[in-house]
Amino acid sequence: MASLLADALAYAENGYAVIPVGRNKIPLIGDWPNQATTDSEKIVRWWDQHPDANIGIVCGEKSGGLIAVDVDIKNGKHGDEALQQFQAMHGDFPSTVMCRTGSGGLHYYFKDPEHFAGKYKNGVEVIPGVDIRTDGGFVVVPPSINADGHAYTWIHDTGLLDEEPADLNESAAQLLTRSHPKKEKAERRQVVAVPEGNRNDTLFRYCCMQVGAGVPRDIAETSALELNDTFDPPLSTSEVYTILESAYSRYVPNERTIYGAQEAPISEDDLKMPTLEDYPEEPVEWLIPEYLPKGQITLICGTGGTGKTSVWVSLLASLSAGERILFDGFGDFYGDRQPIQCMFFSSEDTVENVIKGKLRKGHARMRNIHTISLNDPRFEKIQFGSKYLEKLLDKYRPALCVFDPLQAFIDGHIKMADRNAMRQTMRSLIEWGKTYGTTFLIVMHTNKQLNVWGRNRMADSADLWDIARCVWMVGDADDQGMKYLSHEKSNYGRTGKTMLFRNDDGQPVFKGWTDKKDREFVMEAAKKRNEAKSGNTLSDVCGTILSELADHPDGMLVADLDELLQQIGYSGYIIRKAKSELRTAGRIEITKKGFGGAVGVKKT
């Protein structure tokens, strides 16, 4: 892309050492820490060889002391929240150049005015979800596009080509000094006297281990070179980079599997299988008809500030006291009910400072609600699948148990994008729901993507959509404080109407019902954003296309898709450009098959 080359040359002209990077964030050249350059002729040659390459800037001394703070908010990480907590304790960062990454994360850029090489080191997870890139590290910069077709963009339309990053202040410097030695490079065993014929295989296996462990490529590269130095004789640097690139571009680690105890011998009785005549047919029971099935998992999802907490606290208060609930609306729609035993665990707000006050305002019957405070050391023992949690459910037999948010109660070793691991983790709740008669309401953050709806908004693991029996989406119905709770999924029949409510002093107040769903509210918000600004970002349009096609697995007519996008407010030019980008990236295909001769589009 000519524009990427032009920007690469512009970065170099401003003193930033550039390298070409693939959309998978893997450098397209070997020995990139040393090869990174501001030489325009060299950069032109690279982009002649890789015309679609993204732009990487090597940090540290190579780029005049540039330092990047990388804030990740995908795959179960909430680096933005961790950084807010850090700044609350240590002070705010100075105002500086910032970038929104293709996956929705953030880059903060700073300069070390003293330009001391090696003064600060690369760090992984210096606080949860936050990495540091200095000497020997690199960052991808705008207008690069990630593997999902989403662009890197400057925040406030001001980038490294427009202004100098701020100098480090005390708060930012404290974050950089939190780099832990064990995380600054990938762990490895000392390899002694590796025979000359086994060096390549040993190094390749080591690099594959780093891929499987999720070690960033630039961190693994440093340790791979150190490991090579222990060989006698060592491989050439170019051979090390070839092996490293092979591991990071072609090796795919197996999904994590949760193994149970060793199986006992199988007897004949174990092989006896009942027929359907032996199973009773059990009707679905509801804690809240249509919306909250008994003994099952229901998810309530939304971004911060949309009312997730106020909804579940209101339900807990009303159900514990046997009073009218939010879903009753203006009448007593669901009839009389008896007080029930409830339980909740919140890592978002403390019981003492926040939750108890809200429950009191909701007229909760406090003796019917059990919890363990976030300030209690035992809170760390509460995890899905843990024996401790099962013992609590067995002892108190709550009819409703709330977890807020889901990510806080999953073993830190489990990757939320790992479908097998997530199913195994959540299976315990399904079993306990049946055994102890407990209904589970689990709060979940949505991702930061714009113009997506339904299951595409779920953070980290869309597989949770399939695991849950019901899903609620909470969001802003307008910019005047109206909220909505959209019933997006039900395994037991049609979804219910969408509830409208407002938060009054932290308490949700019912305002009516509507047939509109999450999709319609998201589209309306997108249209308003588009009308309020002069242009649209390509990533917004790409995200909308992919989200709409996710709801049409068999594809849809191109004409229908274009009409929808135009209704949102996108111009014909950017619609065509977005479809072209997605086709080039292999995300969609244009076809006539199955569309009666008309032109259709499918998600690949």
Side-chain angles (χ1 to χ4, degrees):
M1 296 180 183
S3 62
L4 284 169
L5 172 58
D7 280 285
L9 292 169
Y11 283 120
E13 191 174 332
N14 280 264
Y16 297 109
V18 170
I19 58 171
V21 180
R23 290 196 175 185
N24 54 4
K25 295 200 289 189
I26 295 178
L28 298 173
I29 58 170
D31 194 16
W32 57 265
N34 295 316
Q35 291 295 319
T37 187
T38 58
D39 185 335
S40 60
E41 291 184 6
K42 196 172 183 181
I43 293 169
V44 169
R45 286 199 302 272
W46 283 341
W47 261 265
D48 282 343
Q49 297 171 5
H50 309 285
D52 294 332
N54 280 332
I55 305 167
I57 290 181
V58 171
C59 299
E61 197 72 10
K62 275 271 186 177
S63 294
L66 182 69
I67 294 171
V69 176
D70 184 0
V71 182
D72 202 353
I73 56 173
K74 65 180 188 301
N75 298 329
K77 296 180 180 180
H78 297 280
D80 52 344
E81 298 173 4
L83 191 59
Q84 286 179 1
Q85 295 175 4
F86 177 86
Q87 290 180 320
M89 296 176 61
H90 300 281
D92 292 335
F93 287 170
S95 178
T96 191
V97 180
M98 294 175 62
C99 158
R100 177 76 64 186
T101 70
S103 62
L106 294 170
H107 287 168
Y108 290 77
Y109 296 96
F110 299 104
K111 280 286 187 73
D112 174 12
E114 298 173 335
H115 294 183
F116 286 159
K119 179 179 178 181
Y120 300 110
K121 296 182 179 180
N122 287 304
V124 180
E125 296 275 317
V126 294
I127 58 177
V130 178
D131 300 339
I132 302 298
R133 296 288 177 262
T134 59
D135 288 292
F138 74 89
V139 285
V140 178
V141 294
S144 301
I145 298 172
N146 74 356
D148 293 327
H150 300 141
Y152 288 68
T153 56
W154 295 116
I155 295 177
H156 310 307
D157 297 323
T158 301
L160 291 174
L161 299 178
D162 305 306
E163 67 176 61
E164 284 278 306
D167 288 345
L168 291 168
N169 69 351
E170 184 176 347
S171 174
Q174 281 195 24
L175 181 70
L176 267 60
T177 56
R178 290 173 67 93
S179 298
H180 301 298
K182 290 184 179 178
K183 293 188 176 181
E184 288 165 7
K185 59 184 180 182
E187 295 181 5
R188 63 174 175 83
R189 296 176 182 175
Q190 185 74 14
V191 179
V192 181
V194 174
E196 193 165 333
N198 292 347
R199 293 173 302 170
N200 292 63
D201 183 63
T202 299
L203 191 59
F204 179 73
R205 288 175 181 272
Y206 166 75
C207 292
C208 289
M209 285 172 52
Q210 308 319 308
V211 177
V215 175
R217 186 186 188 278
D218 54 333
I219 304 296
E221 181 177 302
T222 301
S223 289
L225 290 168
E226 291 179 0
L227 177 59
N228 183 55
D229 289 340
T230 68
F231 298 164
D232 187 16
L235 298 168
S236 67
T237 302
S238 61
E239 286 179 288
V240 174
Y241 281 110
T242 298
I243 292 169
L244 188 72
E245 183 174 352
S246 179
Y248 270 78
S249 61
R250 289 197 285 270
Y251 173 67
V252 179
N254 293 327
E255 289 187 326
R256 175 186 171 91
T257 302
I258 300 176
Y259 296 98
Q262 185 174 355
E263 292 187 6
I266 299 173
S267 67
E268 282 300 316
D269 286 340
D270 291 329
L271 295 175
K272 291 179 181 179
M273 185 181 295
T275 68
L276 287 183
E277 290 182 343
D278 301 312
Y279 288 97
E281 188 171 349
E282 299 175 350
V284 177
E285 295 185 82
W286 298 89
L287 204 57
I288 302 175
E290 296 185 47
Y291 291 88
L292 192 60
K294 282 186 178 181
Q296 302 294 334
I297 297 172
T298 293
L299 298 178
I300 175 170
C301 311
T303 57
T306 51
K308 302 185 300 295
T309 300
S310 65
V311 167
W312 73 254
V313 170
S314 171
L315 288 178
L316 214 65
S318 298
L319 291 171
S320 70
E323 296 183 353
R324 289 177 64 254
I325 62 173
L326 186 63
F327 288 82
D328 282 333
F330 294 122
D332 200 16
F333 187 70
Y334 295 114
D336 295 332
R337 59 177 57 84
Q338 297 299 314
I340 63 173
Q341 293 291 313
C342 300
M343 184 179 288
F344 77 90
F345 303 101
S346 172
S347 71
E348 298 279 84
D349 298 295
T350 61
V351 176
E352 300 86 346
N353 296 333
V354 179
I355 303 296
K356 186 172 182 178
K358 289 185 175 183
L359 287 167
R360 176 179 48 77
K361 289 180 181 179
H363 307 291
R365 188 170 296 181
M366 299 297 186
R367 64 176 178 272
N368 286 346
I369 303 176
H370 301 271
T371 191
I372 291 177
S373 171
L374 181 61
N375 296 322
D376 190 317
R378 294 175 299 166
F379 189 88
E380 297 297 325
K381 298 164 65 175
I382 301 165
Q383 290 188 339
F384 298 151
S386 71
K387 285 291 184 185
Y388 184 67
L389 176 57
E390 183 180 11
K391 289 290 186 183
L392 291 175
L393 295 172
D394 187 16
K395 179 175 181 177
Y396 296 101
R397 302 287 173 127
L400 176 64
C401 183
V402 179
F403 297 94
D404 184 8
L406 174 144
Q407 289 88 342
F409 305 99
I410 293 175
D411 188 314
H413 295 94
I414 293 176
K415 297 178 180 179
M416 288 189 63
D418 184 334
R419 297 176 66 90
N420 287 343
M422 286 305 300
R423 282 192 173 275
Q424 291 281 2
T425 298
M426 304 302 287
R427 182 182 296 171
S428 58
L429 295 187
I430 298 171
E431 294 171 354
W432 296 342
K434 188 174 182 65
T435 303
Y436 306 119
T438 301
T439 299
F440 297 102
L441 181 61
I442 303 176
V443 181
M444 186 175 178
H445 296 295
T446 52
N447 55 46
K448 306 297 183 181
Q449 295 184 61
L450 295 174
N451 307 347
V452 296
W453 45 82
R455 69 185 299 150
N456 294 300
R457 291 182 66 201
M458 299 182 72
D460 311 316
S461 177
D463 196 45
L464 290 165
W465 178 282
D466 301 319
I467 295 169
R469 303 297 86 184
C470 280
V471 178
W472 308 342
M473 284 287 180
V474 182
D476 293 312
D478 58 29
D479 53 8
Q480 305 299 315
M482 187 72 78
K483 312 290 184 182
Y484 68 85
L485 185 149
S486 175
H487 192 195
E488 291 290 306
K489 177 196 173 181
S490 175
N491 276 56
Y492 305 118
R494 297 177 60 182
T495 57
K497 284 181 173 290
T498 295
M499 179 173 61
L500 299 175
F501 66 97
R502 289 182 183 274
N503 279 328
D504 182 8
D505 192 25
Q507 298 294 309
V509 179
F510 177 83
K511 290 297 179 181
W513 300 102
T514 178
D515 290 326
K516 289 164 61 174
K517 293 291 187 184
D518 187 52
R519 176 179 182 270
E520 284 76 23
F521 286 109
V522 170
M523 289 174 62
E524 285 180 2
K527 187 174 182 179
K528 287 181 181 178
R529 282 195 303 272
N530 294 337
E531 291 172 348
K533 61 185 181 181
S534 58
N536 315 114
T537 64
L538 190 61
S539 61
D540 284 354
V541 191
C542 289
T544 305
I545 291 173
L546 294 175
S547 188
E548 179 64 15
L549 292 179
D551 289 340
H552 296 81
D554 295 327
M556 61 188 299
L557 292 174
V558 169
D560 291 343
L561 176 63
D562 289 350
E563 182 180 356
L564 168 71
L565 296 171
Q566 288 167 1
Q567 288 176 359
I568 295 176
Y570 297 133
S571 67
Y573 166 75
I574 201 166
I575 292 171
R576 291 191 297 273
K577 188 174 181 182
K579 287 189 294 188
S580 176
E581 286 287 330
L582 291 173
R583 288 181 68 187
T584 302
R587 306 296 304 281
I588 65 172
E589 62 175 338
I590 306 296
T591 178
K592 290 187 176 182
K593 187 177 180 181
F595 295 94
V599 180
V601 57
K602 291 182 177 181
K603 191 176 180 182
T604 56

